[in-house]
Amino acid sequence: MKILIAGFQHETNTFAPTKADWEDFVQGGGMPCMTHGSDVLDLRGINIPMGGFLEAMHGTPHELIPVIWASACPSADVTRDAFERIAGKIVKAASEKRPDAVYLDIHGAMVAEHVDDGEGELVRRIRQVVGPKVPIVCSLDLHANVTELMLQQADALVAYRTYPHVDMDETGVRAAELLKMFMEGGNRLSMAWKRIPFLMPLHGQCTEMDPAKSTYEQLGLLEQGSITSLSFAPGFPAADFPECGGVVWGYGTNKTEIEAAVDSLTNHVNEREADWWIDLYKPDEAVQEAMRQSKMADRPVVIADTQDNPGAGGNSNTTGMLRALVKNQAQDAALGVLFDPDAAKSAHNTGIGKTITLGLGGELALGDQPFEGTFTIEHLSDGNLTVKGPMMRGAKISLGPTACLRIDGIRIVVGSSKVQMLDRELYRVAGVEPEQMKILVNKSSVHFRADFSPIAHSILVAESPGPMIADPINLPWKRLTPGIRIRPNGPIFAG
């Protein structure tokens, strides 16, 4: 059979300062760059859903029709131009190639300038041209804001089960198995779904700890017998539209049993509502606690600069944690990756071993001023690296011109591309050996844990200035569904 395959991923923070345009998707923003046609097949073996799907389909008699794979760094809305160009390419191919089945590697939390539900609209358009009998299966991010339109238009949706997302390729394999089942004329599946009545903060969704850990363990226990597939997406709590939030859904051959399984998992989540909140440190508190712990530690204390996470809409350029490190005279500390192309260019023009005085970083939209200082240029590179950790092992990433700038006992990795600190190679490309540091400040929320937990003495989460507000209660919501609680056990959104 002919299977049309495509990928279009974006996690939209509608409160973020910068939109995602066509060029952002061309560059990839920490994920593989935009790939067209048969080159999509080269993604096999990379820890992304498309990579797992291609591996699962390798050696089968089916003909794959690759169209495009594109992802951009999380940000504010996808521009109309970018959405229509990428979605249009996929829909046109579906119309012309008349596939027997469709697989989409999508995120599930895309908002475009003109469409609230980017993925739902994409699947709707594809369904319109392929008809009701062609199976459409989609893989989703764990942070998907799953919509009713997505559930109605796709034959099956399947989501990651880990955060950090170390099972992206496994999710693609699960999607492939579902699609094979549909193509082979398997039993028709019943679908059930339920919404979670409260928003879950991003930093509380980590599956390495409870309540997320036990929730996915429970999901695994329930997914048996007539339950063909069960998923839970806690949601991306920074998209201001009515269907933002967590959803439990699944498919099975017995309608009563799949409904019972969805009810059971939903109850498991709701009964632990208070546990989905994790306390945060202020910048000075985080640095002081890290310094206290590091005196007796033989491994680095890691601080997550969660609100400036470029993997959730931040620009990776705020200076709150840098100021706290300098103010508290931290030693053997490193921060990365700070996005400042102009500073990186100036460092390259000046040269290794010399000093440079400049204003570093700063997000003026948030009132965050550049950090003014004199830095020693310790290392320069082209920023090209291959990921070695479990998040995206084998993927090639470029920070562009990159520099390590030192001020007192603090090293700052300055890059020319927005990439969250999800792998230790992002320090090493700037000449910093993370294992040798006493304190590491990572501009990331949770993904860094996949590669940093094994070397960390402890991990602290800091609430420093940034566009990805860690506590949803502090966001200026306007369009949520009335009645949803804005955070665990928090106030109700009244509309």
Side-chain angles (χ1 to χ4, degrees):
M1 293 187 177
K2 296 188 300 182
I3 307 172
L4 184 140
I5 62 173
F8 187 12
Q9 291 205 6
H10 190 261
E11 184 176 69
T12 305
N13 176 346
T14 60
F15 304 101
T18 307
K19 295 184 179 182
D21 60 18
W22 171 262
E23 189 60 29
D24 292 316
F25 285 95
V26 171
Q27 297 299 323
M31 295 289 272
C33 297
M34 183 183 289
T35 306
H36 299 272
S38 60
D39 289 344
V40 172
L41 302 178
D42 293 337
L43 296 173
R44 179 183 162 208
I46 296 177
N47 181 30
I48 59 174
M50 183 62 77
F53 181 89
L54 291 170
E55 189 66 38
M57 285 296 178
H58 184 66
T60 68
H62 304 297
E63 177 191 354
L64 300 182
I65 306 172
V67 181
I68 189 173
W69 194 94
S71 176
C73 189
S75 66
D77 301 8
V78 175
T79 63
R80 177 190 289 263
D81 173 70
F83 180 87
E84 292 299 337
R85 289 170 72 179
I86 298 171
K89 187 178 180 71
I90 300 169
V91 175
K92 181 181 179 183
S95 177
E96 293 177 349
K97 301 296 184 180
R98 310 308 299 176
D100 300 301
V102 176
Y103 165 64
L104 298 177
D105 178 1
I106 54 180
H107 185 285
M110 181 194 301
V111 178
E113 288 179 323
H114 59 309
V115 178
D116 276 347
D117 177 12
E119 291 90 351
E121 176 63 14
L122 173 63
V123 180
R124 186 194 69 78
R125 293 183 189 183
I126 293 171
R127 176 64 72 197
Q128 194 170 35
V129 299
V130 301
K133 295 183 179 180
V134 172
I136 302 174
V137 173
C138 312
S139 55
L140 301 178
D141 194 285
L142 177 140
H143 304 304
N145 288 319
V146 180
T147 67
E148 187 170 359
L149 181 62
M150 291 161 59
L151 290 164
Q152 288 175 346
Q153 296 296 314
D155 290 271
L157 308 172
V158 57
Y160 310 163
R161 297 177 180 181
T162 63
Y163 184 32
H165 303 328
V166 296
D167 71 330
M168 290 187 285
D169 55 351
E170 294 174 24
T171 306
V173 172
R174 291 202 303 273
E177 295 306 317
L178 281 168
L179 194 60
K180 288 177 186 176
M181 183 193 70
F182 287 124
M183 291 190 299
E184 292 165 3
N187 292 329
R188 186 172 181 82
L189 300 180
S190 296
M191 187 265 288
W193 65 287
K194 275 200 167 182
R195 291 204 173 277
I196 303 300
F198 58 93
L199 296 182
M200 286 166 270
L202 206 62
H203 67 284
Q205 296 181 15
C206 176
T207 58
E208 294 181 357
M209 54 193 181
D210 282 334
K213 184 174 185 290
S214 67
T215 299
Y216 284 97
E217 288 172 350
Q218 183 66 14
L219 184 154
L221 293 174
L222 289 168
E223 192 183 61
Q224 59 178 311
S226 70
I227 311 302
T228 306
S229 175
L230 191 60
S231 291
F232 165 51
F236 184 63
D240 194 12
F241 81 115
E243 294 183 90
C244 178
V247 174
V248 175
W249 76 96
Y251 309 91
T253 55
N254 183 296
K255 187 175 188 297
T256 301
E257 291 179 1
I258 188 58
E259 289 176 347
V262 167
D263 286 346
S264 177
L265 191 60
T266 303
N267 291 338
H268 181 96
V269 173
N270 292 340
E271 289 165 1
R272 291 157 180 78
E273 180 170 351
D275 297 336
W276 289 93
W277 173 256
I278 295 174
D279 289 334
L280 301 160
Y281 288 86
K282 297 299 182 184
D284 283 336
E285 296 172 344
V287 172
Q288 290 163 9
E289 177 62 17
M291 292 172 65
R292 184 189 70 77
Q293 292 187 23
S294 67
K295 290 179 181 178
M296 303 296 293
D298 58 0
R299 294 183 293 170
V301 177
V302 180
I303 303 173
D305 189 1
T306 187
Q307 295 197 149
D308 195 32
N309 172 17
N315 277 335
S316 202
N317 60 357
T318 62
T319 62
M321 288 308 304
L322 175 58
R323 294 179 194 278
L325 289 168
V326 173
K327 174 184 174 182
N328 290 283
Q329 301 180 352
Q331 299 297 312
D332 297 320
L335 180 152
V337 176
L338 192 142
F339 172 63
D340 191 332
D342 291 339
K345 181 179 179 180
S346 295
H348 276 256
N349 290 339
T350 303
I352 294 175
K354 298 180 180 179
T355 59
I356 186 171
T357 300
L358 46 73
L360 188 60
E363 182 59 75
L364 297 181
L366 299 175
D368 180 71
Q369 299 297 316
F371 180 89
E372 303 288 343
T374 298
F375 305 86
T376 299
I377 303 168
E378 287 202 338
H379 190 92
L380 298 171
S381 79
D382 60 11
N384 295 330
L385 62 103
T386 300
V387 175
K388 294 182 178 178
M391 256 294 293
M392 289 175 56
R393 183 175 285 115
K396 296 186 183 301
I397 291 177
S398 178
L399 289 177
T402 298
C404 176
L405 305 183
R406 179 175 58 81
I407 182 168
D408 301 327
I410 302 144
R411 292 172 172 83
I412 306 106
V413 176
V414 182
S416 301
S417 296
K418 287 184 284 186
V419 178
Q420 74 165 298
M421 181 54 75
L422 54 75
D423 193 271
R424 284 179 254 169
E425 291 301 305
L426 290 163
Y427 276 117
R428 295 191 183 110
V429 77
V432 176
E433 291 297 331
E435 295 86 350
Q436 296 178 12
M437 297 293 103
K438 289 185 176 296
I439 300 172
L440 295 170
V441 177
N442 293 350
K443 285 187 176 290
S444 176
S445 294
V446 172
H447 281 327
F448 72 91
R449 291 177 183 261
D451 201 33
F452 286 85
S453 288
I455 69 164
H457 171 76
S458 62
I459 294 174
L460 311 175
V461 182
E463 189 179 22
S464 182
M468 182 53 217
I469 303 302
D471 186 348
I473 201 172
N474 293 325
L475 287 168
W477 299 101
K478 295 180 180 179
R479 302 182 58 223
L480 292 176
T481 296
I484 192 170
R485 290 186 288 284
I486 302 176
R487 79 168 187 190
N489 289 336
I492 293 173
F493 180 75

